[in-house]
Amino acid sequence: MKKKICNVLAFFITCTLIPFTAAAQQNSASSHATTPPPDKQRQLFYYSGEFESVPLPSLLTFDNSRLMTAYVALQAWKKAIVSDPLNLTSNWVGCNVCNYTGVICTQALDDPTIQTVAGIDLNHGDIAGYLPEELGLLTDIALFHLNSNRFCGRVPRSFKKLKLLFELDLSNNRFAGKFPHVVLHLPSLKFLDLRFNEFEGKVPKALFDKDLDAILINNNRFAFELPDNLGSSPVSLLVLANNRFHGCLPRSLGNMSNTLNELILTNNGLHSCLPEQIGFLKNLTVFDVSYNKLMGELPGSFGELESLEQLNVAHNMLSGTVPESVCSLPNLQNFSFNYNFFHGESPVCLDLEEFDDRRNCLRDRPVQRSRLQCKMFLSRPVDCSVFKCQPVIPPKPILPPPRRLPSPPPPPPPSPRPELPPPPPLNSPPPPPLHSPPPPPLKSPPPPVLHSPPPPPPKHSPPPPLPIYSTPPPPAPSPPPCLHLPPPPPPPFQPSVPLPSPIDYGPLPPIIGIDYASPPPPPFY
């Protein structure tokens, strides 16, 4: 009986332990299959605020180290993505990063024998997430396009390492915070598009000193006064609409005559008169300052904008008469000046393809303001000086004079001449008749010929050295000034000072632009 009981217990224990043993063996085998040996596991260091390590499976092999670094950056970015409804990043797997959707590869500029990641294009991807610092590892990219997504946060500081970045398009996302100053440290950047985001605060003046071709920062929350160096920018496209700018429309805009094609300042708080210098913009095709608080008359210089096609000054407080020269521009197609206080317009304006003159003070025109409104507004003349706008940008006119200062080289040539003549005049006959002492020094020279001449000039004739130095001006004028040696020195120097002053006729030094075709921005502003 006992033997039967033992056999039953042994059978029960065996049946119970066999499944657990098999499961343990299976788990052990699977763990060995998925975890590579320690000696076959590689580590790669990358920058993420501070250096950290990321394990790379031993099964991945890369054609070169740059593609391996790009793999690290893109995998870190993939982890920062929280929503990808179009599954654009679903194939961001494996070592062949050049096959990832939105990743553009080409030959490296410094080594054409290797491939590298040269661009990112995820426009209209509707992807949500943020930009990790690891993206600074993509040091070979020339374009970075993320238009129409849901990325938020801030632009990584590591972007300053992208020395080859040519186009940066972060438009129509949810980026926030202050202006991304890191873009000021991108030496190759030409196209900057930050439209339709939540950036706020001031825009640095240095942005308009940077050699860019397009600046689009409209539809944000930037609030600042347009800087005086706005006209220093060599851009062909400048869109600052729908922000919270205020103050004057800088007169320095006239300095952009060589490059500017489109200027859009719609819906800001600009409060000043339109500067005459805008008439210098010969290449301007689009000028839109609607929905501001601009006052005064429409400058007659606008009639010189021969390339202008679209002119919109609607919804301001402009008055006076619309110049006939403006409506007669050869390329003008659309002219909107509705919702102002103009009380006169040329019949030529009625012949334009598209124009809007509603809500003004124009007689015999439909849909105008009431007489009371017009009378109350026009009874108070506009004085543009009360806005205290800065004069034409001072730094620019100041630069040419120093270059013109080399013009004084004419005086230097005479200066060597006076250095040579002094000895002759001392030995020349005039001194002997005027002063007898000079002859005695002539006798003394044999022993100290070199020392005797210096003492006489300082001791006997302190005034003569002054005329000697003042002789450079006399050669240009006539000998009469020499008759009054003491008084004339100031006059000759005074005329020489005003001479450079008339050279300030060039307040608009040419700005050399970049002749290349930048990618057209999206059609909407």
Side-chain angles (χ1 to χ4, degrees):
M1 187 69 177
K2 290 182 180 180
K3 185 179 287 187
K4 289 182 179 180
I5 293 174
C6 291
N7 291 337
V8 171
L9 289 176
F11 177 77
F12 176 77
I13 292 172
T14 303
C15 294
T16 304
L17 293 180
I18 286 177
F20 290 101
T21 305
Q25 291 177 352
Q26 184 176 2
N27 291 338
S28 176
S30 63
S31 64
H32 285 292
T34 57
T35 304
D39 57 342
K40 290 187 178 182
Q41 194 173 16
R42 294 183 295 178
Q43 301 284 329
L44 179 68
F45 291 92
Y46 69 95
Y47 179 79
S48 177
E50 58 186 16
F51 285 96
E52 299 178 359
S53 60
V54 173
L56 290 177
S58 59
L59 299 178
L60 295 180
T61 58
F62 301 89
D63 293 340
N64 56 69
S65 60
R66 299 190 190 188
L67 294 179
M68 181 172 63
T69 304
Y71 171 84
V72 173
L74 295 174
Q75 292 303 316
W77 192 9
K78 185 177 181 180
K79 291 181 180 179
I81 292 175
V82 297
S83 174
D84 182 8
L86 303 181
N87 293 321
L88 297 181
T89 60
S90 60
N91 67 342
W92 285 22
V93 180
C95 58
N96 195 352
V97 296
C98 294
N99 285 342
Y100 289 6
T101 300
V103 177
I104 303 171
C105 290
T106 187
Q107 297 175 343
L109 292 179
D110 55 344
D111 187 359
T113 61
I114 64 174
Q115 290 276 9
T116 186
V117 174
I120 301 292
D121 188 353
L122 293 174
N123 284 347
H124 305 282
D126 196 25
I127 301 174
Y130 67 92
L131 305 183
E133 291 287 342
E134 286 82 357
L135 291 177
L137 294 172
L138 302 175
T139 55
D140 290 323
I141 63 172
L143 59 89
F144 192 81
H145 291 175
L146 293 183
N147 181 9
S148 301
N149 284 281
R150 290 176 288 145
F151 287 103
C152 60
R154 299 186 178 183
V155 181
R157 289 177 296 176
S158 62
F159 267 40
K160 64 183 179 181
K161 297 183 178 182
L162 308 182
K163 303 300 182 182
L164 301 179
L165 189 59
F166 189 82
E167 301 174 10
L168 178 60
D169 184 356
L170 304 179
S171 60
N172 198 19
N173 279 278
R174 298 177 183 177
F175 292 105
K178 296 182 179 180
F179 182 90
H181 283 72
V182 67
V183 303
L184 302 177
H185 303 286
L186 302 176
S188 302
L189 189 65
K190 296 295 180 184
F191 183 89
L192 176 63
D193 192 349
L194 304 178
R195 296 174 295 166
F196 295 96
N197 279 287
E198 301 294 332
F199 292 113
E200 59 188 16
K202 296 183 177 180
V203 174
K205 296 178 63 174
L207 176 66
F208 304 107
D209 290 325
K210 192 169 176 59
D211 187 13
L212 297 172
D213 183 62
I215 298 177
L216 300 96
I217 58 176
N218 53 291
N219 293 84
N220 280 279
R221 297 181 180 180
F222 293 121
F224 71 109
E225 186 171 348
L226 291 180
D228 298 331
N229 70 328
L230 181 66
S232 301
S233 178
V235 296
S236 62
L237 175 62
L238 180 60
V239 184
L240 309 179
N242 300 315
N243 280 284
R244 299 173 184 174
F245 302 147
H246 56 276
C248 297
L249 191 60
R251 301 180 184 180
S252 63
L253 285 172
N255 294 344
M256 309 173 74
S257 58
N258 292 333
T259 58
L260 189 61
N261 298 129
E262 298 185 21
L263 176 61
I264 301 175
L265 303 173
T266 307
N267 194 23
N268 282 289
L270 299 176
H271 188 45
S272 69
C273 293
L274 290 170
E276 290 277 352
Q277 289 76 8
I278 294 178
F280 299 155
L281 304 175
K282 305 297 183 182
N283 298 318
L284 192 65
T285 59
V286 177
F287 182 77
D288 191 343
V289 290
S290 57
Y291 292 92
N292 282 286
K293 301 176 183 178
L294 300 173
M295 302 184 70
E297 298 186 357
L298 192 64
S301 62
F302 276 45
E304 301 177 7
L305 302 176
E306 300 177 353
S307 302
L308 194 62
E309 300 175 2
Q310 308 288 331
L311 175 58
N312 192 345
V313 295
H315 292 269
N316 281 285
M317 293 182 284
L318 299 173
S319 57
T321 301
V322 179
E324 179 179 353
S325 59
V326 176
C327 295
S328 302
L329 290 171
N331 296 303
L332 188 61
Q333 300 173 5
N334 190 334
F335 182 18
S336 298
F337 54 96
N338 51 307
Y339 286 88
N340 280 285
F341 292 89
F342 290 109
H343 58 78
E345 66 177 337
S346 170
V348 180
C349 300
L350 305 179
D351 297 332
L352 292 172
E353 295 181 9
E354 296 183 15
F355 78 99
D356 191 349
D357 62 357
R358 293 173 301 147
R359 297 297 176 186
N360 279 282
C361 301
L362 303 171
R363 292 183 180 181
D364 303 326
R365 291 295 300 164
V367 195
Q368 297 297 304
R369 295 181 184 273
S370 67
R371 290 185 179 181
L372 179 60
Q373 250 185 329
C374 294
K375 183 177 181 180
M376 291 180 61
F377 184 87
L378 298 176
S379 63
R380 294 172 293 179
V382 178
D383 182 6
C384 294
S385 62
V386 300
F387 298 110
K388 298 181 179 180
C389 298
Q390 292 291 335
V392 180
I393 182 171
K396 289 298 177 181
I398 290 173
L399 292 177
R403 297 179 181 175
R404 297 293 182 93
L405 288 179
S407 61
S415 64
R417 294 179 182 175
E419 293 175 0
L420 298 174
L426 294 175
N427 300 330
S428 61
L434 296 173
H435 303 282
S436 58
L442 294 173
K443 298 177 182 179
S444 60
V449 177
L450 300 174
H451 301 281
S452 60
K459 295 178 182 178
H460 297 284
S461 59
L466 297 176
I468 291 172
Y469 291 99
S470 63
T471 49
S478 57
C482 299
L483 298 176
H484 304 282
L485 292 177
F493 288 102
Q494 288 175 351
S496 62
V497 176
L499 292 178
S501 61
I503 302 176
D504 58 359
Y505 65 92
L508 307 174
I511 300 175
I512 301 175
I514 305 298
D515 295 332
Y516 69 90
S518 61
F524 53 85
Y525 296 110

